[in-house]
Amino acid sequence: MKAKYVIVFSALLFSLIIVGETATTGNWELLKESIGISAMHAQLLPNDRVVMFDRTDFGQSKISLPEEKCRKLADGRIDCSAHSVELNLLNQDVRPLTVLTDTWCSSGALAPDGMLIQSGGSNTGERAVRTFQPCADCDWMENQKGLVVPRWYASNQILPNGKVIVVGGRGQFSYEYIPKSSLPSDFKVFALPFLRETRDAVENNLYPFTHLSTDGNLFIFANTKSILFDYIRNRVVRDDYPAMPGGVSRNYPSTGSSVLLPLKLGSINGTNGAAPDAEVFICGGAPPTSYISAIKGTFLPAAKSCGRLMITAKQPKWVMEEMPMERVMGDMLLLPTGDVLIINGAKKGAAGWYLGREPVLNPVLYQPESSKYEIMEPSKIPRMYHSTAVLITDGRVLVGGSNPNKNYNFTEEFPTELSVEVFSPPYLSSGPRPQISWAKPETELSYKQPISIGFTTKKNGEFPLFDKFFKKKSHQQNGELENISVTMVAPSFNTHSFSMNQRMMVLETNQVRQLSGRSYVIDCFAPATPNIAPPGYYLLFVAHNGIPSKGRWIHIS
């Protein structure tokens, strides 16, 4: 009889191990078979809607505008197809939106009040600034002369004062600010010679990677080189960063991706005024000649290399690593646990019409603490040129787009993709999630402000004997939780493999207190300055043993 129990337990143990191994690779779910357009640009809003759009001259989309919103084209024809939509994440409803000017390869940022500010594009949209308020029936508002000069393939970054800086663009070696006010200074264009210096015969420096450093200056990376730039005084404050090794171009059209790794806010943040360290992580890209080679029919292998650069170090040096597979046109997203998800893209070619080959279907999870790369479950849908990925409130990743064709084309080798999926990282199947019960203050924060967050945990599983067998860590030790963190993640504007304004802070924690049973309170502090966390909306997460809660919207000003 005893042997029978041993056999049953062994079988149960084996089945749980198999399930566990499968669960740790993440999983995919088709959210919408069609949203009517190809999601070339995407932004999560603080009302849990995602605004997505492609370009206005793709031809007839698969979703129509209301009759009163139809637009008249230059040749006199009437176009009633939408090229922008709002996806409601709560019920998956899709609402068509009206965009008039061409948004192709434009840029964007979320303003401090939650309004989406969107700039540039091609043809009719090259000087346009568009705004979208997060409300039930809002639509795009457009100013066709919102920019002083044309901005196509430019990058946007929200600044500590709440303004948005627009950097570069095709043939533009300069920057300017939006939205414009009545001040004459708002209508100035400021030279940025660095962009001219990093341009090669194929350009390879478009959509420059732009990150706000913790000292308030801008880190700008283009092609293989980088600077630290004081935009207020219009001067380079640091040009001694070494070129990124490997002989690979990292920006469009040899498109890699970049993130500012999580900022760890300890006691140094807010006590003696020192800013925390800031480290940039760049992955993928292609040889400088990849674009020209692909046009001629030769598709060069993309790069496997990644590099980390501590941009605040006295003597910064690139630390080079390798991903499990080559990737060009991939996206990189910060997850609420501090890990980085590398997703979408191709193994060969470059960004451009028909120039990518061998889609990369497997996401890769990167753990900055250990420099470990883990291959995730593959998608069934190729996502290459003009694909997008954004972190959403529940901790999943919304993935859409891919149109390597000049128009909506569903018969090519890699057809226009109208679907959207969600990828669930491994933490969503690793055990019960903590749940935020309340927060004080509830939504409005000020800098350096103490925060108290109430949350609950659940039992680790329904098999206490199994838990005991593996000697799981207790949820409670001396009245406090182990491995607990609070993170703030800024919603980013994603297009062309770069998530603009993406930012994550690991907050300084004071103490964790048990209220009763599995109810706890964690005390922490808001970021100290807008250099560390620009004003605006963030998602607040509590993570326990590597498993995050659902996000809670907060606003800091």
Side-chain angles (χ1 to χ4, degrees):
M1 195 70 175
K2 184 176 180 181
K4 181 178 179 181
Y5 285 138
V6 170
I7 293 171
V8 170
F9 178 74
S10 299
L12 175 62
L13 182 62
F14 178 76
S15 66
L16 285 172
I17 291 173
I18 296 300
V19 170
E21 287 178 349
T22 303
T24 58
T25 59
N27 62 77
W28 290 88
E29 176 188 352
L30 183 66
L31 191 67
K32 294 283 288 189
E33 188 173 350
S34 173
I35 58 171
I37 67 165
S38 186
M40 185 191 301
H41 311 76
Q43 171 75 62
L44 173 67
L45 301 179
N47 59 358
D48 286 328
R49 271 69 162 171
V50 179
V51 171
M52 292 173 282
F53 49 96
D54 48 28
R55 54 182 288 192
T56 57
D57 60 351
F58 260 171
Q60 293 290 316
S61 70
K62 298 297 183 180
I63 186 170
S64 298
L65 292 165
E67 186 176 349
E68 67 275 11
K69 294 289 186 74
C70 297
R71 63 194 184 101
K72 189 175 182 178
L73 302 179
D75 60 6
R77 292 180 297 120
I78 302 299
D79 182 11
C80 289
S81 64
H83 291 278
S84 177
V85 299
E86 179 192 66
L87 173 65
N88 186 333
L89 293 174
L90 302 179
N91 57 19
Q92 286 81 58
D93 284 349
V94 176
R95 182 168 69 95
L97 302 175
T98 310
V99 61
L100 301 175
T101 56
D102 192 357
T103 51
W104 184 22
C105 305
S106 51
S107 52
L110 205 63
D113 64 357
M115 177 178 68
L116 173 56
I117 302 178
Q118 210 275 316
S119 59
S122 180
N123 300 316
T124 60
E126 60 185 10
R127 289 183 55 197
V129 172
R130 310 164 195 89
T131 57
F132 184 88
Q133 291 282 2
C135 73
D137 57 355
C138 287
D139 209 337
W140 285 104
M141 303 292 291
E142 301 191 42
N143 177 0
Q144 296 191 25
K145 296 183 179 180
L147 293 169
V148 179
V149 298
R151 300 283 179 187
W152 192 23
Y153 299 98
S155 295
N156 288 11
Q157 172 64 53
I158 188 76
L159 298 173
N161 63 3
K163 298 282 283 186
V164 175
I165 189 170
V166 188
V167 179
R170 173 160 284 175
Q172 300 296 340
F173 314 110
S174 62
Y175 63 94
E176 60 182 289
Y177 300 98
I178 56 173
K180 308 296 187 188
S181 67
S182 58
L183 297 174
S185 59
D186 267 8
F187 292 86
K188 288 184 178 180
V189 172
F190 302 88
L192 187 55
F194 169 74
L195 295 178
R196 187 184 300 274
E197 296 162 5
T198 53
R199 184 186 187 186
D200 59 17
V202 191
E203 295 182 284
N204 277 324
N205 69 342
L206 299 176
Y207 279 126
F209 300 146
T210 306
H211 300 287
L212 178 67
S213 183
T214 51
D215 62 1
N217 293 309
L218 289 181
F219 176 82
I220 304 174
F221 180 100
N223 206 338
T224 62
K225 298 179 180 179
S226 48
I227 58 171
L228 194 64
F229 187 68
D230 183 343
Y231 59 90
I232 297 175
R233 296 175 178 84
N234 189 32
R235 63 187 181 95
V236 175
V237 294
R238 187 165 197 176
D239 61 1
D240 63 343
Y241 295 116
M244 191 171 178
V248 174
S249 294
R250 307 289 176 171
N251 293 83
Y252 185 94
S254 297
T255 306
S257 191
S258 173
V259 295
L260 183 70
L261 289 176
L263 303 175
K264 299 177 181 179
L265 310 184
S267 59
I268 194 172
N269 173 48
T271 54
N272 59 8
D277 284 330
E279 186 176 14
V280 165
F281 182 51
I282 296 175
C283 275
T289 58
S290 187
Y291 180 81
I292 297 298
S293 296
I295 289 176
K296 296 177 180 179
T298 300
F299 302 92
L300 300 179
K304 293 177 68 174
S305 59
C306 295
R308 295 172 62 156
L309 182 70
M310 188 69 72
I311 64 175
T312 51
K314 290 183 178 180
Q315 294 181 322
K317 294 181 180 179
W318 286 99
V319 177
M320 300 303 294
E321 304 173 349
E322 276 201 349
M323 297 181 285
M325 70 276 289
E326 300 87 352
R327 197 179 301 254
V328 63
M329 296 180 286
D331 292 285
M332 293 170 63
L333 290 178
L334 295 169
L335 299 179
T337 54
D339 294 337
V340 180
L341 185 70
I342 309 171
I343 197 167
N344 298 335
K347 289 186 178 181
K348 291 183 177 180
W353 305 130
Y354 315 105
L355 301 184
R357 293 293 186 273
E358 297 187 25
V360 185
L361 300 177
N362 295 84
V364 167
L365 190 69
Y366 176 71
Q367 299 172 355
E369 294 294 327
S370 61
S371 293
K372 177 184 176 182
Y373 295 84
E374 184 179 359
I375 299 175
M376 300 283 103
E377 193 73 22
S379 171
K380 297 179 181 179
I381 303 174
R383 305 279 186 184
M384 300 196 298
Y385 190 43
H386 291 155
S387 60
T388 48
V390 292
L391 177 72
I392 57 178
T393 311
D394 62 10
R396 296 181 298 173
V397 173
L398 181 73
V399 182
S402 189
N403 191 10
N405 315 299
K406 289 186 178 180
N407 298 294
Y408 291 108
N409 192 320
F410 305 101
T411 59
E412 293 284 348
E413 180 182 4
F414 301 111
T416 303
E417 189 55 62
L418 307 182
S419 69
V420 289
E421 306 170 275
V422 283
F423 175 73
S424 297
Y427 52 60
L428 293 180
S429 54
S430 299
R433 305 179 71 175
Q435 296 182 359
I436 298 177
S437 309
W438 51 266
K440 294 180 181 179
E442 292 186 0
T443 56
E444 291 293 329
L445 301 180
S446 57
Y447 294 100
K448 298 185 181 180
Q449 184 172 17
I451 310 168
S452 293
I453 303 167
F455 67 98
T456 60
T457 65
K458 295 180 180 179
K459 292 182 179 180
N460 199 46
E462 298 179 358
F463 302 93
L465 182 59
F466 177 75
D467 290 343
K468 183 177 180 181
F469 182 87
F470 277 101
K471 299 180 180 179
K472 295 285 186 181
K473 288 185 177 181
S474 171
H475 281 280
Q476 182 182 350
Q477 182 177 4
N478 298 327
E480 295 188 354
L481 288 175
E482 297 177 328
N483 302 324
I484 186 80
S485 62
V486 179
T487 58
M488 282 172 55
V489 183
S492 55
F493 180 89
N494 177 264
T495 190
H496 290 77
S497 301
F498 184 40
S499 291
M500 303 175 195
N501 308 293
Q502 184 171 213
R503 201 171 190 84
M504 176 182 170
M505 282 95 16
V506 182
L507 300 189
E508 178 184 351
T509 301
N510 186 14
Q511 62 174 336
V512 183
R513 294 173 283 123
Q514 183 181 25
L515 294 182
S516 61
R518 296 184 178 273
S519 295
Y520 300 87
V521 176
I522 185 168
D523 297 322
C524 50
F525 296 95
T529 71
N531 290 343
I532 297 171
Y537 284 88
Y538 292 82
L539 283 169
L540 184 76
F541 294 90
V542 171
H544 176 228
N545 285 335
I547 303 175
S549 66
K550 291 184 178 180
R552 182 186 182 96
W553 285 106
I554 58 171
H555 184 260
I556 189 166
S557 60

